[in-house]
């Protein structure tokens, strides 16, 4: 059999992407956002409101909720960070990452929330980007310590931390300053205003891609 000689036919052109104005519109773009902050920052409340009020389908995934899917044998980090609690954290993060990729692949945006430390690789940003993808958009929610302590006092069960632990976590979160990540101080902001600032931060990140 004789085969044709010469270069193969060109591949069909790839479909054009959305116009820049559509990509830069955080209220319409399909995105994966990671909302970072200490306990009591209001991450879950803001994330839910942001997901509820977008013009496109959006899911909310909370790392704490997924960790607590483990009922018998749950390793509570408040009882001490050890190999068992670290393994459960890593498993929950992988599960969240898989879910986020699945949502995005099906045209549904998602927002994840977690207390990601800038100085601790195990629970750091790199792991989230490995599991969700390099397009993950991190935003830090960091109100003042007095506000965080007040909000934490309103919690119950294992979501409520001791004041010393809250202060320690808040101090470590201050390491995000100078990181280049967008930081929102929502000490004096209501939830809708904070969500609007989150939209603006995501828009800027998309514009700079």
């Amino acid at each position: 059999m004789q085969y044709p000689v010469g270069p193969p036919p060109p591949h069909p052109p790839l479909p054009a992407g959305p116009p820049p104005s559509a990509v830069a519109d955080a209220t319409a773009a399909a995105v994966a956002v990671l909302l970072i902050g200490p306990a009591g920052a209001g991450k879950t409340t803001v994330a839910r409101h942001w997901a509820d009020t977008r013009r496109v389908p959006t899911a909310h995934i909370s790392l704490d909720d997924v960790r607590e899917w483990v009922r018998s044998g749950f390793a509570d980090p408040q009882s001490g960070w050890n190999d068992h609690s670290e393994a459960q954290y890593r498993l929950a993060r992988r599960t969240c990452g898989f879910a986020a990729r699945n949502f995005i692949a099906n045209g549904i945006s998602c927002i994840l929330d977690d207390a990601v430390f800038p100085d601790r690789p195990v629970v750091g940003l790199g792991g989230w980007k490995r599991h969700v993808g390099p397009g993950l958009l991190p935003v830090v929610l960091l109100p003042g310590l007095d506000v965080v302590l007040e909000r934490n006092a309103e919690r119950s069960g294992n979501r409520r931390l001791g004041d010393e632990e809250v202060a320690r976590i808040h101090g470590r979160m201050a390491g995000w300053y100078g990181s280049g990540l967008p930081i929102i101080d929502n000490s004096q902001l209501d939830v809708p205003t904070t969500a609007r600032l989150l939209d603006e931060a995501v828009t800027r990140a998309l514009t700079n891609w």
Side-chain angles (χ1 to χ4, degrees), residues 9 83 157 170 175 187 191 200:
D83 291 344
H170 186 274
S187 300
V191 173
E200 293 176 0

Side-chain angles (χ1 to χ4, degrees), residues 20-79:
S21 59
V23 173
D25 183 358
T27 64
V31 295
V33 176
L34 176 64
L35 193 59
I36 298 168
K43 299 186 301 295
T44 299
T45 302
V46 170
R48 285 176 178 168
H49 181 85
W50 189 78
D52 285 343
T53 55
R54 299 192 78 226
R55 296 203 311 264
V56 296
T58 303
H60 169 233
I61 306 170
S62 172
L63 186 281
D64 282 343
D65 289 346
V66 175
R67 279 196 310 107
E68 291 173 5
W69 285 355
V70 177
R71 307 306 297 176
S72 179
F74 175 68
D76 188 347
Q78 292 188 52
S79 301

Side-chain angles (χ1 to χ4, degrees), residues 69-148:
W69 285 355
V70 177
R71 307 306 297 176
S72 179
F74 175 68
D76 188 347
Q78 292 188 52
S79 301
W81 187 262
N82 51 43
D83 291 344
H84 195 33
S85 56
E86 180 178 322
Q88 290 187 5
Y89 176 88
R90 289 179 182 272
L91 176 60
R93 187 173 60 187
R94 286 197 302 271
T95 302
C96 290
F98 175 82
R101 293 196 309 272
N102 200 20
F103 279 122
I104 292 294
N106 286 277
I108 298 177
S109 294
C110 63
I111 181 167
L112 310 104
D113 68 76
D114 182 25
V116 180
F117 294 106
D119 60 345
R120 190 168 184 179
V122 170
V123 288
L125 188 55
W128 276 110
K129 288 187 174 181
R130 283 195 303 274
H131 294 305
V132 178
L136 181 68
L137 302 175
V139 179
V140 180
L141 197 62
L142 191 57
L145 177 58
D146 56 339
V147 174
V148 168

